[in-house]
Amino acid sequence: LKPNKDLLQDLINKANGINRENYTSTSLKAVDDVMVKANEVLNNPEATKEEVEVAIAELTKALSGLEAKPGSTVDTSTSVKPGDKTVGVKTGDTTSMMYSLLGLAIASLGVYGSKKRKRIN
């Protein structure tokens, strides 16, 4: 099975979208170093789930470690917090369970009715 790389892709997009003028060069270098590794994992079709998880953790840590330059205004509402795993999590499930349960109920009624008819005849 191939691991889901959507969260890693979202974090890379977020890192690419930061305003580099607002952060110190040392904290940006840390992000750049982790971005190289994260891109390698993202583009590796043979990457394991563990490699993806490590890349996500390292990139999240690097992004949360960004230091704002003195006097710059940084919007912290969109920054990544350590342990934050809610950056565009996609479950892939959009159907309601009610359709499945309704189908099961109708099928059960059909089986019950057919057995009842066989007993009467």
Side-chain angles (χ1 to χ4, degrees):
L1 294 175
K2 293 184 179 181
N4 187 344
K5 297 180 182 180
D6 291 341
L7 180 58
L8 181 59
Q9 179 66 55
D10 290 342
L11 286 171
I12 289 172
N13 291 342
K14 188 171 212 160
N16 286 331
I18 61 174
N19 186 351
R20 298 179 69 84
E21 295 174 2
N22 292 336
Y23 299 100
T24 63
S25 60
T26 55
S27 63
L28 285 171
K29 182 173 179 353
V31 171
D32 292 340
D33 291 344
V34 173
M35 282 286 289
V36 170
K37 294 176 188 173
N39 277 314
E40 287 174 3
V41 171
L42 182 67
N43 295 323
N44 181 2
E46 301 297 320
T48 64
K49 182 180 178 184
E50 291 77 24
E51 290 173 327
V52 173
E53 289 174 353
V54 167
I56 289 170
E58 288 177 352
L59 189 52
T60 301
K61 183 179 177 183
L63 288 172
S64 65
L66 281 172
E67 297 174 5
K69 286 182 180 177
S72 67
T73 56
V74 177
D75 182 15
T76 58
S77 65
T78 60
S79 62
V80 178
K81 314 291 189 283
D84 184 11
K85 296 185 184 239
T86 59
V87 181
V89 175
K90 298 176 185 172
T91 63
D93 188 11
T94 59
T95 59
S96 173
M97 282 295 295
M98 290 305 295
Y99 296 119
S100 300
L101 294 175
L102 182 62
L104 182 61
I106 291 171
S108 298
L109 288 174
V111 169
Y112 176 74
S114 95
K115 286 191 182 251
K116 191 171 186 175
R117 270 190 245 134
K118 286 183 182 178
R119 284 189 206 148
I120 293 174
N121 293 335

